[in-house]
Amino acid sequence: QVQLVESGGGLVQAGGSLRLSCAASVSFFNLNVMGWYRQAPGKQRELVAQIVRGGRTNYADSAKGRATISSENAENTVNLQMNSLKPEDTAVYYCHAVHKYGGDYWGQGTQVTVSS
């Protein structure tokens, strides 16, 4: 099993920035994909950004130019830097990982609230 612990959520003003972090309980050598999803009340969970083994990154159109995903391999941690935040970015953000040998794992989520 993989445990994922998110941190860094909070309340920010529109136009501000936040940096989310996700620490995995296993080495990144055992993970093929790590990413961030978000879910707003009454809406489906959606991908924000992900990083794949080899360093390739993918972003939702709404996040391109405002979000950057990166990894700290020695710390088994993935980060999401979000700038120019908008009220529509308000959601619970979930860390996600795919194990090398199969299985999807999710963190408990961290709340991001952007005030207008």
Side-chain angles (χ1 to χ4, degrees):
Q1 293 186 340
V2 178
Q3 291 179 296
L4 304 171
V5 180
E6 304 102 330
S7 62
L11 174 65
V12 297
Q13 295 179 340
S17 299
L18 276 178
R19 183 174 182 267
L20 306 181
S21 295
C22 173
S25 64
V26 300
S27 171
F28 276 7
F29 290 118
N30 296 319
L31 302 174
N32 284 337
V33 182
M34 290 197 71
W36 288 93
Y37 289 70
R38 67 186 179 190
Q39 187 168 19
K43 297 184 179 180
Q44 294 184 334
R45 188 171 300 185
E46 63 178 359
L47 174 70
V48 180
Q50 64 182 182
I51 185 166
V52 182
R53 183 180 296 276
R56 186 177 74 253
T57 58
N58 299 306
Y59 295 92
D61 288 340
S62 61
K64 290 180 179 178
R66 301 189 299 123
T68 302
I69 189 168
S70 61
S71 63
E72 300 175 14
N73 294 351
E75 304 296 330
N76 302 321
T77 297
V78 65
N79 303 308
L80 181 68
Q81 177 70 40
M82 299 188 295
N83 303 319
S84 302
L85 286 165
K86 306 173 182 179
E88 50 263 43
D89 293 319
T90 296
V92 177
Y93 284 69
Y94 296 91
C95 184
H96 169 254
V98 179
H99 196 274
K100 181 178 181 180
Y101 299 117
D104 291 313
Y105 297 88
W106 297 91
Q108 294 300 306
T110 184
Q111 177 71 46
V112 171
T113 302
V114 183
S115 62
S116 60

